[in-house]
Amino acid sequence: MKIISLLTELEHLLDDLSFKELQLSQAKRLKKSVQIFKCQLEKQALDYTQGQIQSKQNSSAFQAQTHETSDEGQNTNLQFSRLSHDLKIPLNRIIQFINLLKEEELSKKQLSKINTIENTTQTLLNITNEQLVKNSRLNVDLEINEKLNFNLRGLVKDVMYLCRTLLNNKDIHIESRIDDKVPEILVGDPAKLTQVLLNILGYAIKYVQEGSIDLAIYLQKKENNNYYLEFIIKDTGIGLATNQLKHIFDASENSENNRVDSSYDLDLSISKQIVLDLNGNINVNSVLGKGSEFQLILPYKKSSIDLKSKINVSKKNESNVLKNYSILVFEDDELERKLLEERLKIWGCKFYFTDNVVYGLMLLESHKIDLVLTDLNTHNYRVFDIAGKIRRNKVLKIREIPIIDVASSLAVKNHQIYSKYKINDQILKPYTAEELLNKIIENTMKMKKTVSIPSKYINPDIEIISDATKINLSKVLEECLGKIFLLEELVLLYKQNTLEFIGVLSSELPDGDMKTVAFAAHKVKFGLGMMQSKSLHSLVVQIESILKADGDKKYINFLLKAFVEEYQLVEKAIDQQLNALKSVN
Amino acid sequence: MINKKLLLAEDDELLATLLNFRLKKEGYIIQLCRDGREVKDQLTIQIPDIIVSDIMMPYFSGLELIDFVRNDLKSDVPIIMVSSAGNEENVLSAFELGANDFISKPISPSELIVRLNRILCKT
């Protein structure tokens, strides 16, 4: 409930913003994203409370069964961590919009208001992150050790950030440093390293009242391509006596001692297990009253990705850094799309957005695309569907296009599927602009080095999914009060209208009046909607949005071609439907 | 039978055909206009009992139409505007100019009929 009151405050702050002076569209978007987020939150909170009430009712019915209450606790925990996760992404989206706003020229007054909004959002995010820290400790699959490329510095940055949110105003200085000899990109299991670091740092935060916590990472030794990293976590906490020290990694012993919170002991014993599984080592030194020092040794390999070739861009030079790039984005979320558009515009690259697999693939065939980004909230299988179709394409160049998936949760198991579909990389939400930029650059550079995909992956029968099969005219017939003659007339008009639209576009596009094109697009939409031709409708919407933006004729022409092809399928389907309805009526 | 005169200004033939059929069934006497110029001509001959007009029309927009009816013809005839989704700003202006109601595309003819009857009952 604290979150909701904070949000209401945030909403008021947004109302106060002087919209006339701000760029109207941006201010509107920001406000809309806050509102949508708040609605989601309220719904979630409601579901959550209802869930709680329900489980309470259930448990009172079975009071004799004592284990019922512990189940309830677990359930609540799970629900809450899910809630936290759902909150994190929209909150980050707000922050990203705020960042975009801050890049505009703002008056001092506006800037101070924006800062207040940012602070409020940050507080919300911190509350959410605390829950996520608790959750991430429980969520790592202990059985599988992954071998993934990961950026150690980025990982440590995230861990430190999460730890700071755990401090709760304690006067603790928390810091990290990584020796220059430690490679940028390592191969190993980042999720497990995160868990171990969070566990140990969490333990330190628990027992340090004031002073400092330091994480230092060194290269202990290097054998061939094996890099043994030493992690030292030093705190100025209450420390441990020698007899306690012996059993620090033993959960059951410690809970008997009553000295510490058993959940943290469990964390330490899990950490030790993980470290041993990773062929590493963990030690602790401690002086009662002075503090503790944990030492971890973990082996990693250096990644073959060459980061020296990475273009390092400072914030100010970011604009137009991707000038000669073309990126195709599969995106099904309006707000995310806007956000990405803004970013890609700043980087100066050419970009195409779609949420439709078929048109995405057609785009790939007709345009020079350097990279595919997939960010589809609905279902993972769609991402795999897209990746599968790209990797089986007839054209070698298309088969080799790097694909980066924007994922909303770090599901470790995803990686197996990723490699199956040859998805090159993953970026986890929330990501910073810089992280995305680096991923794009890394992957487009890597592409030049990749080996060709063998021709056995080529499937000559690329299936085209079309909406044509989904057309159902019975609703339209209902609107015609069951009069088949009227439906026939409407179908005829529909065909005339659509063909006229194709005609207008074909004749006006080369050097005609774009206003006529826009008007034709606007007008044809109604008929398409009425005859349930969703795929055609969505193409027209895309044409309209290009007309509003830069009016790229090549792209519109391409969409028109797709429209014509799809229309042939739709027309056939409509005729079949009409005949079927005729025979029934 | 309602027997009211309704001016339908809609340049989309598909929609016009469907609405024409449904509204006639309801007992309206329909004057169908395909563009703004036709609407203007028709209105100077005779003012109907109610007007249903698309906002976006060739030659003479729906907004100009409202202005013409209210200020030039000084008529209170009820006007229902038809707008496409995402055109909210136009809808606001339509109300400011004196439209009585609006309905968004995609239109359900049944919804339009309910709105028409409601407005005609009031007057």
Side-chain angles (χ1 to χ4, degrees), chain B residues 33-72:
Chain B
C33 300
R34 301 292 187 193
D35 64 50
R37 282 196 295 220
E38 268 183 51
V39 176
K40 219 171 163 180
D41 293 345
Q42 187 62 245
L43 281 173
T44 41
I45 301 166
Q46 185 188 32
I47 293 181
D49 296 309
I50 191 160
I51 298 172
V52 176
S53 170
D54 196 345
I55 267 192
M56 226 171 138
M57 269 187 310
Y59 307 120
F60 193 58
S61 84
L63 296 181
E64 285 170 291
L65 167 71
I66 306 171
D67 188 50
F68 178 70
V69 171
R70 295 285 184 256
N71 296 326
D72 295 3

Side-chain angles (χ1 to χ4, degrees), chain B residues 85-100:
Chain B
N87 240 336
E88 288 79 6
E89 279 161 30
N90 273 340
V91 171
L92 269 182
S93 327
F95 275 118
E96 275 166 18
L97 285 169
N100 298 62

Side-chain angles (χ1 to χ4, degrees), chain B residues 28 50 52 78 80-81 95 100-104 107-122:
Chain B
Y28 287 97
I50 191 160
V52 176
I80 300 184
M81 297 307 294
F95 275 118
N100 298 62
D101 200 356
F102 92 96
I103 181 165
S104 272
I107 290 188
S108 142
S110 314
E111 188 190 336
L112 178 65
I113 288 164
V114 172
R115 283 178 191 268
L116 282 170
N117 292 342
R118 203 184 55 188
I119 289 180
L120 286 173
C121 279
K122 271 190 210 162

